[in-house]
Amino acid sequence: MKVIDTPLLGCKIIEPQVFGDERGFFMENWNRQRYAEAGIDVGFVQSNLSSSAKDVLRGLHFQYPNPQGKLVSVLSGEVLDVAVDVRKNSPTFGSWTGVVLSGENKKQFYVPEGFAHGFVVLSDTAMFSYLCTRLYAPECEHSLLWNDPAIGIDWSCDAPQLSAKDQQGRLLSTFSDAELPVFTP
């Protein structure tokens, strides 16, 4: 597997080794030892799957306290997946990085604890999978406004479909210190 560091410390793009022939393909989508050797030494406790139509934008979500790290991938279709650093005192606080994930390219994206996460569907539909390092805790969930101008994410979508919760996301500048995780080098 190939691991690519992003400009945001801890966020990694993973290109698993895929073995294919005329019958299909095989790949490891998680191997604790191999990922730990690549710097992703976490234990996952929850697995989620979502299906979405074109232009559906989910996010930007993060939990604090009880932050979640996520290993995400797309089983079918294509999405632009985005992480935003929301860790107080981080040198990249408020910065974002993104990667196109698809059933075809089979890339994975590791978003560690302390980052907001979201994606927009680029294909007609997409099946999105993610492993989480902590259980979902709705009382700890926060929604960062998907189009916060101070962050400036290029979603490649002019009119995204948003949930009511995501329409009510907040600007990063409105979060108090008590609502944000702390950067620890």
Side-chain angles (χ1 to χ4, degrees):
M1 94 180 155
K2 181 178 178 183
V3 179
I4 303 162
D5 290 320
T6 70
L8 303 183
L9 185 62
C11 289
K12 298 175 184 294
I13 299 167
I14 298 100
E15 296 179 353
Q17 189 171 11
V18 179
F19 303 93
D21 60 24
E22 66 280 352
R23 300 168 300 152
F25 74 91
F26 170 85
M27 65 178 254
E28 279 184 351
N29 61 343
W30 172 251
N31 176 316
R32 185 173 182 128
Q33 179 180 340
R34 195 177 320 276
Y35 281 63
E37 291 167 359
I40 304 171
D41 192 8
V42 297
F44 294 112
V45 298
Q46 184 174 326
S47 176
N48 301 321
L49 190 62
S50 72
S51 177
S52 302
K54 184 173 181 62
D55 295 332
V56 167
L57 192 152
R58 297 186 185 271
L60 296 156
H61 306 141
F62 69 97
Q63 284 189 184
Y64 189 77
N66 196 48
Q68 285 183 314
K70 298 175 183 174
L71 179 65
V72 299
S73 61
V74 171
L75 304 177
S76 65
E78 183 177 77
V79 309
L80 171 63
D81 199 78
V82 171
V84 177
D85 190 346
V86 296
R87 301 168 300 168
K88 291 183 298 190
N89 304 320
S90 168
T92 56
F93 178 79
S95 298
W96 71 278
T97 191
V99 60
V100 173
L101 303 175
S102 71
E104 189 173 309
N105 71 22
K106 297 174 184 40
K107 291 180 182 179
Q108 299 173 314
F109 189 36
Y110 179 66
V111 181
E113 296 176 359
F115 290 81
H117 171 258
F119 66 90
V120 66
V121 178
L122 304 175
S123 53
D124 289 339
T125 61
M127 186 71 66
F128 190 85
S129 172
Y130 49 112
L131 300 173
C132 301
T133 59
R134 297 196 195 203
L135 298 175
Y136 173 64
E139 70 279 6
C140 299
E141 185 177 42
H142 300 281
S143 290
L144 178 61
L145 188 62
W146 68 278
N147 62 349
D148 183 332
I151 298 169
I153 299 169
D154 178 6
W155 288 103
S156 302
C157 176
D158 295 328
Q161 297 179 41
L162 301 163
S163 70
K165 175 178 73 173
D166 293 341
Q167 290 176 20
Q168 300 303 312
R170 295 168 47 199
L171 297 172
L172 183 56
S173 63
T174 67
F175 284 90
S176 71
D177 284 351
E179 295 174 296
L180 296 173
V182 177
F183 173 71
T184 51

